[in-house]
Amino acid sequence: MDNFLAARSQMALSLGFHIIYACIGMVMPFFMAVSHYKWLRTNDEGYKNLTKAWSKGVAIFFATGAVSGTMLSFELGLLWPSFMEHAGPIFGMPFSLEGTAFFIEAIALGFFLYGWDRFNKWFHWFTGVVVGISGLASGILVVSANAWMNSPAGFDFVNGEYINIDPIKAMFNKAWFSQSLHMTLAAFAATGFAVAGVHAAMILQNKNVLFHSRAFKIAGFFGAVAAILQPLSGDISAKDVAERQPAKLAAMEAHYHTTRKAPLLIGGIPDPEKKEVSYAIELPGMLSFLAHGDINAEVKGLDQIPVEEHPPVPIVHYAFQVMVGIGVFLMALSITFFIALRKKQLLQRRWLLVLFAIAIPLGFIAVEAGWTVTEVGRQPWIIHGIMRTADAVTPMPGIAWSFYLFTLIYISLTVVVIFLLNRQIKMVPVLYDKSDK
């Protein structure tokens, strides 16, 4: 394995693990805050127990997210020194602010975990809300930095020099809103369905049914709302990518030839050599409509982009199809969930709980697929249109060994997290209702 492949593999591995920890860490505090609020309003001890149980999960993912995030920070400098030398002064502001948000989150989480029966009850609840808000801000700021790599702004690039640097303009680049919105909704959908699915599985086993039913409804509500809104953010993102990164859009849809009334492909196997796609279902004009709001609009294909600037089409296309396919399934399940809320007896139906249990990993698979589209679809650029990824990699030898070491660390960290979560689930308080008896 050469240095370039090893460096990219290590970064992909780190991001792949961190994004799961980060999503759960930034979303679960909101579940915790809702159950805490319900306890304060109803004085029902069941909600207090649920809040305490979820708070331990928040603490676990805060710790693992902090570890994996710190490792990523070091990797940026160690693996991509040329990139950081030039990009650091430009997009360093969101990273600095993210550090501030992280410290606020840490302080608020400490207050919340150790504040039971020590603070005013509403102040204690407020500290939990701050954990969620600061975690969410942290995630948005990091995505803003990534968006800058897709839509560089806040500087002039003249004769190989980065001049007239404006960090504010860099942070609020053209891609920051669409990427932040899409990632935030994805985090809520993935975490909501994963948490709801875990509690649905426990209900299916007839364990602590009242406790898990309450948790299922709260997490399911968040996940369902996010999944229903996600296609709207996807539409915003598609139009944004069509304008700024036509090569990425072409790779997502395996759109090899520039054409008007371009069809949207469902499935299909791209052939980069023949520049065609087999076995795809075509929806005429829909790609033109999604990209430009006009069914007859021209959509730029890969034939108008230099070959050396083509992303790896099959990887991007398959990842995009996986993301969209799972998104459609979760949206349909969300609509079913809201119908079930109106007809409460449906929430006890085994088939619905089974579907939620099946959905436990799906949201995170979609998140991973979406980040694959974002990162691989930008290739060969690390800063779109400015710096190639190959020109940013470190000349230091032995990166392959670093990749193997980090793989071992992340696998070990994941095993520890699974062990802690499994133990936590088994230790939930036993709340007896009629169905338990």
Side-chain angles (χ1 to χ4, degrees), residues 153-179:
F155 66 97
D156 293 321
F157 187 63
V158 181
N159 298 325
E161 297 289 331
Y162 297 79
I163 60 175
N164 301 326
I165 294 173
D166 184 346
I168 299 294
K169 190 175 180 181
M171 185 166 69
F172 295 108
N173 56 78
K174 290 183 178 180
W176 86 269
F177 175 75
S178 60
Q179 279 196 211

PDB file of all heavy atoms in Angstrom, residues 153-179:
ATOM      1  N   ALA A 153     -13.782  29.624  -0.458  1.00  0.00           N
ATOM      2  CA  ALA A 153     -14.145  31.045  -0.465  1.00  0.00           C
ATOM      3  C   ALA A 153     -13.303  31.756   0.580  1.00  0.00           C
ATOM      4  O   ALA A 153     -12.630  31.125   1.399  1.00  0.00           O
ATOM      5  CB  ALA A 153     -15.638  31.215  -0.163  1.00  0.00           C
ATOM      6  N   GLY A 154     -13.314  33.070   0.535  1.00  0.00           N
ATOM      7  CA  GLY A 154     -12.621  33.848   1.557  1.00  0.00           C
ATOM      8  C   GLY A 154     -11.153  34.083   1.272  1.00  0.00           C
ATOM      9  O   GLY A 154     -10.391  34.396   2.193  1.00  0.00           O
ATOM     10  N   PHE A 155     -10.736  33.984   0.030  1.00  0.00           N
ATOM     11  CA  PHE A 155      -9.346  34.256  -0.335  1.00  0.00           C
ATOM     12  C   PHE A 155      -9.256  34.412  -1.850  1.00  0.00           C
ATOM     13  O   PHE A 155     -10.166  34.054  -2.596  1.00  0.00           O
ATOM     14  CB  PHE A 155      -8.422  33.115   0.117  1.00  0.00           C
ATOM     15  CG  PHE A 155      -8.678  31.811  -0.607  1.00  0.00           C
ATOM     16  CD1 PHE A 155      -7.911  31.433  -1.695  1.00  0.00           C
ATOM     17  CD2 PHE A 155      -9.697  30.961  -0.188  1.00  0.00           C
ATOM     18  CE1 PHE A 155      -8.150  30.245  -2.372  1.00  0.00           C
ATOM     19  CE2 PHE A 155      -9.941  29.764  -0.855  1.00  0.00           C
ATOM     20  CZ  PHE A 155      -9.163  29.409  -1.952  1.00  0.00           C
ATOM     21  N   ASP A 156      -8.149  34.956  -2.283  1.00  0.00           N
ATOM     22  CA  ASP A 156      -7.818  35.022  -3.707  1.00  0.00           C
ATOM     23  C   ASP A 156      -6.584  34.156  -3.929  1.00  0.00           C
ATOM     24  O   ASP A 156      -5.627  34.223  -3.158  1.00  0.00           O
ATOM     25  CB  ASP A 156      -7.532  36.457  -4.148  1.00  0.00           C
ATOM     26  CG  ASP A 156      -8.773  37.338  -4.081  1.00  0.00           C
ATOM     27  OD1 ASP A 156      -9.865  36.837  -4.424  1.00  0.00           O
ATOM     28  OD2 ASP A 156      -8.649  38.505  -3.673  1.00  0.00           O
ATOM     29  N   PHE A 157      -6.619  33.353  -4.972  1.00  0.00           N
ATOM     30  CA  PHE A 157      -5.498  32.466  -5.290  1.00  0.00           C
ATOM     31  C   PHE A 157      -4.794  33.035  -6.513  1.00  0.00           C
ATOM     32  O   PHE A 157      -5.295  32.942  -7.638  1.00  0.00           O
ATOM     33  CB  PHE A 157      -6.020  31.055  -5.558  1.00  0.00           C
ATOM     34  CG  PHE A 157      -4.941  30.024  -5.732  1.00  0.00           C
ATOM     35  CD1 PHE A 157      -4.075  29.717  -4.694  1.00  0.00           C
ATOM     36  CD2 PHE A 157      -4.804  29.355  -6.942  1.00  0.00           C
ATOM     37  CE1 PHE A 157      -3.084  28.761  -4.850  1.00  0.00           C
ATOM     38  CE2 PHE A 157      -3.822  28.389  -7.107  1.00  0.00           C
ATOM     39  CZ  PHE A 157      -2.963  28.099  -6.063  1.00  0.00           C
ATOM     40  N   VAL A 158      -3.655  33.658  -6.278  1.00  0.00           N
ATOM     41  CA  VAL A 158      -2.931  34.349  -7.346  1.00  0.00           C
ATOM     42  C   VAL A 158      -1.488  33.854  -7.388  1.00  0.00           C
ATOM     43  O   VAL A 158      -0.763  33.952  -6.392  1.00  0.00           O
ATOM     44  CB  VAL A 158      -2.947  35.884  -7.127  1.00  0.00           C
ATOM     45  CG1 VAL A 158      -2.215  36.578  -8.263  1.00  0.00           C
ATOM     46  CG2 VAL A 158      -4.373  36.390  -7.015  1.00  0.00           C
ATOM     47  N   ASN A 159      -1.096  33.307  -8.543  1.00  0.00           N
ATOM     48  CA  ASN A 159       0.280  32.825  -8.739  1.00  0.00           C
ATOM     49  C   ASN A 159       0.717  31.862  -7.627  1.00  0.00           C
ATOM     50  O   ASN A 159       1.841  31.946  -7.119  1.00  0.00           O
ATOM     51  CB  ASN A 159       1.259  33.998  -8.828  1.00  0.00           C
ATOM     52  CG  ASN A 159       0.977  34.913 -10.010  1.00  0.00           C
ATOM     53  OD1 ASN A 159       0.568  34.442 -11.074  1.00  0.00           O
ATOM     54  ND2 ASN A 159       1.165  36.214  -9.822  1.00  0.00           N
ATOM     55  N   GLY A 160      -0.201  30.974  -7.248  1.00  0.00           N
ATOM     56  CA  GLY A 160       0.135  29.984  -6.228  1.00  0.00           C
ATOM     57  C   GLY A 160       0.106  30.511  -4.809  1.00  0.00           C
ATOM     58  O   GLY A 160       0.437  29.782  -3.872  1.00  0.00           O
ATOM     59  N   GLU A 161      -0.302  31.769  -4.628  1.00  0.00           N
ATOM     60  CA  GLU A 161      -0.340  32.384  -3.298  1.00  0.00           C
ATOM     61  C   GLU A 161      -1.792  32.602  -2.867  1.00  0.00           C
ATOM     62  O   GLU A 161      -2.656  32.958  -3.676  1.00  0.00           O
ATOM     63  CB  GLU A 161       0.397  33.726  -3.306  1.00  0.00           C
ATOM     64  CG  GLU A 161       1.883  33.627  -3.614  1.00  0.00           C
ATOM     65  CD  GLU A 161       2.669  32.994  -2.488  1.00  0.00           C
ATOM     66  OE1 GLU A 161       2.232  33.124  -1.320  1.00  0.00           O
ATOM     67  OE2 GLU A 161       3.692  32.345  -2.773  1.00  0.00           O
ATOM     68  N   TYR A 162      -2.046  32.386  -1.558  1.00  0.00           N
ATOM     69  CA  TYR A 162      -3.370  32.622  -0.965  1.00  0.00           C
ATOM     70  C   TYR A 162      -3.344  33.993  -0.305  1.00  0.00           C
ATOM     71  O   TYR A 162      -2.667  34.198   0.700  1.00  0.00           O
ATOM     72  CB  TYR A 162      -3.687  31.538   0.067  1.00  0.00           C
ATOM     73  CG  TYR A 162      -3.767  30.141  -0.517  1.00  0.00           C
ATOM     74  CD1 TYR A 162      -2.613  29.423  -0.810  1.00  0.00           C
ATOM     75  CD2 TYR A 162      -5.001  29.544  -0.778  1.00  0.00           C
ATOM     76  CE1 TYR A 162      -2.681  28.136  -1.342  1.00  0.00           C
ATOM     77  CE2 TYR A 162      -5.079  28.255  -1.303  1.00  0.00           C
ATOM     78  CZ  TYR A 162      -3.915  27.567  -1.589  1.00  0.00           C
ATOM     79  OH  TYR A 162      -3.986  26.302  -2.115  1.00  0.00           O
ATOM     80  N   ILE A 163      -4.070  34.959  -0.895  1.00  0.00           N
ATOM     81  CA  ILE A 163      -4.025  36.326  -0.394  1.00  0.00           C
ATOM     82  C   ILE A 163      -5.437  36.832  -0.124  1.00  0.00           C
ATOM     83  O   ILE A 163      -6.428  36.184  -0.464  1.00  0.00           O
ATOM     84  CB  ILE A 163      -3.309  37.269  -1.391  1.00  0.00           C
ATOM     85  CG1 ILE A 163      -4.043  37.273  -2.746  1.00  0.00           C
ATOM     86  CG2 ILE A 163      -1.849  36.829  -1.584  1.00  0.00           C
ATOM     87  CD1 ILE A 163      -3.469  38.265  -3.743  1.00  0.00           C
ATOM     88  N   ASN A 164      -5.518  38.031   0.493  1.00  0.00           N
ATOM     89  CA  ASN A 164      -6.808  38.669   0.813  1.00  0.00           C
ATOM     90  C   ASN A 164      -7.737  37.711   1.566  1.00  0.00           C
ATOM     91  O   ASN A 164      -8.907  37.519   1.219  1.00  0.00           O
ATOM     92  CB  ASN A 164      -7.507  39.159  -0.467  1.00  0.00           C
ATOM     93  CG  ASN A 164      -6.665  40.152  -1.241  1.00  0.00           C
ATOM     94  OD1 ASN A 164      -5.934  40.945  -0.652  1.00  0.00           O
ATOM     95  ND2 ASN A 164      -6.751  40.105  -2.567  1.00  0.00           N
ATOM     96  N   ILE A 165      -7.207  37.117   2.621  1.00  0.00           N
ATOM     97  CA  ILE A 165      -7.946  36.102   3.388  1.00  0.00           C
ATOM     98  C   ILE A 165      -9.049  36.732   4.226  1.00  0.00           C
ATOM     99  O   ILE A 165      -8.824  37.713   4.942  1.00  0.00           O
ATOM    100  CB  ILE A 165      -6.975  35.300   4.278  1.00  0.00           C
ATOM    101  CG1 ILE A 165      -6.018  34.476   3.404  1.00  0.00           C
ATOM    102  CG2 ILE A 165      -7.738  34.386   5.235  1.00  0.00           C
ATOM    103  CD1 ILE A 165      -4.925  33.782   4.176  1.00  0.00           C
ATOM    104  N   ASP A 166     -10.252  36.156   4.130  1.00  0.00           N
ATOM    105  CA  ASP A 166     -11.424  36.602   4.897  1.00  0.00           C
ATOM    106  C   ASP A 166     -12.039  35.372   5.569  1.00  0.00           C
ATOM    107  O   ASP A 166     -12.825  34.646   4.958  1.00  0.00           O
ATOM    108  CB  ASP A 166     -12.442  37.266   3.970  1.00  0.00           C
ATOM    109  CG  ASP A 166     -13.643  37.828   4.711  1.00  0.00           C
ATOM    110  OD1 ASP A 166     -13.837  37.477   5.894  1.00  0.00           O
ATOM    111  OD2 ASP A 166     -14.412  38.602   4.111  1.00  0.00           O
ATOM    112  N   PRO A 167     -11.686  35.110   6.843  1.00  0.00           N
ATOM    113  CA  PRO A 167     -12.171  33.897   7.528  1.00  0.00           C
ATOM    114  C   PRO A 167     -13.691  33.809   7.637  1.00  0.00           C
ATOM    115  O   PRO A 167     -14.242  32.703   7.600  1.00  0.00           O
ATOM    116  CB  PRO A 167     -11.518  33.990   8.913  1.00  0.00           C
ATOM    117  CG  PRO A 167     -10.339  34.886   8.733  1.00  0.00           C
ATOM    118  CD  PRO A 167     -10.757  35.868   7.687  1.00  0.00           C
ATOM    119  N   ILE A 168     -14.361  34.958   7.787  1.00  0.00           N
ATOM    120  CA  ILE A 168     -15.825  34.938   7.901  1.00  0.00           C
ATOM    121  C   ILE A 168     -16.457  34.447   6.598  1.00  0.00           C
ATOM    122  O   ILE A 168     -17.348  33.591   6.583  1.00  0.00           O
ATOM    123  CB  ILE A 168     -16.361  36.343   8.248  1.00  0.00           C
ATOM    124  CG1 ILE A 168     -15.806  36.816   9.589  1.00  0.00           C
ATOM    125  CG2 ILE A 168     -17.893  36.326   8.270  1.00  0.00           C
ATOM    126  CD1 ILE A 168     -16.269  36.001  10.764  1.00  0.00           C
ATOM    127  N   LYS A 169     -15.969  34.986   5.494  1.00  0.00           N
ATOM    128  CA  LYS A 169     -16.483  34.563   4.184  1.00  0.00           C
ATOM    129  C   LYS A 169     -16.161  33.097   3.924  1.00  0.00           C
ATOM    130  O   LYS A 169     -16.945  32.378   3.316  1.00  0.00           O
ATOM    131  CB  LYS A 169     -15.885  35.432   3.087  1.00  0.00           C
ATOM    132  CG  LYS A 169     -16.524  35.228   1.724  1.00  0.00           C
ATOM    133  CD  LYS A 169     -15.969  36.217   0.706  1.00  0.00           C
ATOM    134  CE  LYS A 169     -16.618  36.001  -0.663  1.00  0.00           C
ATOM    135  NZ  LYS A 169     -16.063  36.955  -1.672  1.00  0.00           N
ATOM    136  N   ALA A 170     -14.997  32.659   4.407  1.00  0.00           N
ATOM    137  CA  ALA A 170     -14.621  31.254   4.244  1.00  0.00           C
ATOM    138  C   ALA A 170     -15.569  30.349   5.020  1.00  0.00           C
ATOM    139  O   ALA A 170     -16.001  29.303   4.516  1.00  0.00           O
ATOM    140  CB  ALA A 170     -13.183  31.047   4.709  1.00  0.00           C
ATOM    141  N   MET A 171     -15.896  30.742   6.237  1.00  0.00           N
ATOM    142  CA  MET A 171     -16.769  29.916   7.074  1.00  0.00           C
ATOM    143  C   MET A 171     -18.179  29.844   6.505  1.00  0.00           C
ATOM    144  O   MET A 171     -18.794  28.775   6.469  1.00  0.00           O
ATOM    145  CB  MET A 171     -16.794  30.459   8.505  1.00  0.00           C
ATOM    146  CG  MET A 171     -17.594  29.583   9.458  1.00  0.00           C
ATOM    147  SD  MET A 171     -17.299  29.970  11.196  1.00  0.00           S
ATOM    148  CE  MET A 171     -18.076  31.584  11.310  1.00  0.00           C
ATOM    149  N   PHE A 172     -18.690  30.982   6.050  1.00  0.00           N
ATOM    150  CA  PHE A 172     -20.048  31.012   5.493  1.00  0.00           C
ATOM    151  C   PHE A 172     -19.980  30.935   3.970  1.00  0.00           C
ATOM    152  O   PHE A 172     -20.507  31.797   3.268  1.00  0.00           O
ATOM    153  CB  PHE A 172     -20.787  32.262   5.958  1.00  0.00           C
ATOM    154  CG  PHE A 172     -21.019  32.292   7.443  1.00  0.00           C
ATOM    155  CD1 PHE A 172     -20.297  33.157   8.250  1.00  0.00           C
ATOM    156  CD2 PHE A 172     -21.932  31.437   8.031  1.00  0.00           C
ATOM    157  CE1 PHE A 172     -20.501  33.183   9.621  1.00  0.00           C
ATOM    158  CE2 PHE A 172     -22.137  31.455   9.407  1.00  0.00           C
ATOM    159  CZ  PHE A 172     -21.418  32.331  10.206  1.00  0.00           C
ATOM    160  N   ASN A 173     -19.321  29.897   3.489  1.00  0.00           N
ATOM    161  CA  ASN A 173     -19.193  29.680   2.050  1.00  0.00           C
ATOM    162  C   ASN A 173     -20.528  29.223   1.461  1.00  0.00           C
ATOM    163  O   ASN A 173     -21.493  28.961   2.195  1.00  0.00           O
ATOM    164  CB  ASN A 173     -18.090  28.659   1.780  1.00  0.00           C
ATOM    165  CG  ASN A 173     -18.346  27.354   2.509  1.00  0.00           C
ATOM    166  OD1 ASN A 173     -19.152  26.541   2.087  1.00  0.00           O
ATOM    167  ND2 ASN A 173     -17.665  27.169   3.645  1.00  0.00           N
ATOM    168  N   LYS A 174     -20.574  29.080   0.149  1.00  0.00           N
ATOM    169  CA  LYS A 174     -21.838  28.760  -0.519  1.00  0.00           C
ATOM    170  C   LYS A 174     -22.400  27.389  -0.155  1.00  0.00           C
ATOM    171  O   LYS A 174     -23.599  27.144  -0.325  1.00  0.00           O
ATOM    172  CB  LYS A 174     -21.653  28.862  -2.036  1.00  0.00           C
ATOM    173  CG  LYS A 174     -21.455  30.284  -2.536  1.00  0.00           C
ATOM    174  CD  LYS A 174     -21.352  30.321  -4.050  1.00  0.00           C
ATOM    175  CE  LYS A 174     -21.195  31.748  -4.556  1.00  0.00           C
ATOM    176  NZ  LYS A 174     -21.093  31.804  -6.037  1.00  0.00           N
ATOM    177  N   ALA A 175     -21.535  26.507   0.306  1.00  0.00           N
ATOM    178  CA  ALA A 175     -22.000  25.142   0.591  1.00  0.00           C
ATOM    179  C   ALA A 175     -22.351  24.907   2.050  1.00  0.00           C
ATOM    180  O   ALA A 175     -22.931  23.871   2.382  1.00  0.00           O
ATOM    181  CB  ALA A 175     -20.935  24.127   0.153  1.00  0.00           C
ATOM    182  N   TRP A 176     -22.021  25.852   2.937  1.00  0.00           N
ATOM    183  CA  TRP A 176     -22.133  25.553   4.370  1.00  0.00           C
ATOM    184  C   TRP A 176     -23.579  25.287   4.800  1.00  0.00           C
ATOM    185  O   TRP A 176     -23.843  24.371   5.583  1.00  0.00           O
ATOM    186  CB  TRP A 176     -21.520  26.681   5.220  1.00  0.00           C
ATOM    187  CG  TRP A 176     -22.467  27.805   5.512  1.00  0.00           C
ATOM    188  CD1 TRP A 176     -22.657  28.938   4.778  1.00  0.00           C
ATOM    189  CD2 TRP A 176     -23.370  27.897   6.625  1.00  0.00           C
ATOM    190  NE1 TRP A 176     -23.626  29.733   5.360  1.00  0.00           N
ATOM    191  CE2 TRP A 176     -24.068  29.117   6.491  1.00  0.00           C
ATOM    192  CE3 TRP A 176     -23.646  27.078   7.716  1.00  0.00           C
ATOM    193  CZ2 TRP A 176     -25.043  29.529   7.402  1.00  0.00           C
ATOM    194  CZ3 TRP A 176     -24.623  27.485   8.622  1.00  0.00           C
ATOM    195  CH2 TRP A 176     -25.298  28.699   8.469  1.00  0.00           C
ATOM    196  N   PHE A 177     -24.531  26.065   4.266  1.00  0.00           N
ATOM    197  CA  PHE A 177     -25.907  25.900   4.717  1.00  0.00           C
ATOM    198  C   PHE A 177     -26.496  24.580   4.244  1.00  0.00           C
ATOM    199  O   PHE A 177     -27.086  23.831   5.040  1.00  0.00           O
ATOM    200  CB  PHE A 177     -26.780  27.061   4.228  1.00  0.00           C
ATOM    201  CG  PHE A 177     -28.243  26.881   4.570  1.00  0.00           C
ATOM    202  CD1 PHE A 177     -28.687  27.081   5.867  1.00  0.00           C
ATOM    203  CD2 PHE A 177     -29.158  26.470   3.607  1.00  0.00           C
ATOM    204  CE1 PHE A 177     -30.030  26.883   6.203  1.00  0.00           C
ATOM    205  CE2 PHE A 177     -30.491  26.278   3.928  1.00  0.00           C
ATOM    206  CZ  PHE A 177     -30.931  26.481   5.218  1.00  0.00           C
ATOM    207  N   SER A 178     -26.352  24.279   2.964  1.00  0.00           N
ATOM    208  CA  SER A 178     -26.955  23.052   2.434  1.00  0.00           C
ATOM    209  C   SER A 178     -26.330  21.812   3.072  1.00  0.00           C
ATOM    210  O   SER A 178     -27.037  20.866   3.429  1.00  0.00           O
ATOM    211  CB  SER A 178     -26.813  22.993   0.910  1.00  0.00           C
ATOM    212  OG  SER A 178     -25.456  23.015   0.523  1.00  0.00           O
ATOM    213  N   GLN A 179     -24.985  21.817   3.242  1.00  0.00           N
ATOM    214  CA  GLN A 179     -24.341  20.662   3.863  1.00  0.00           C
ATOM    215  C   GLN A 179     -24.701  20.540   5.339  1.00  0.00           C
ATOM    216  O   GLN A 179     -24.938  19.440   5.843  1.00  0.00           O
ATOM    217  CB  GLN A 179     -22.811  20.757   3.713  1.00  0.00           C
ATOM    218  CG  GLN A 179     -22.308  20.298   2.370  1.00  0.00           C
ATOM    219  CD  GLN A 179     -20.809  20.020   2.352  1.00  0.00           C
ATOM    220  OE1 GLN A 179     -20.156  20.189   1.333  1.00  0.00           O
ATOM    221  NE2 GLN A 179     -20.254  19.579   3.468  1.00  0.00           N
TER     222      GLN A 179
END
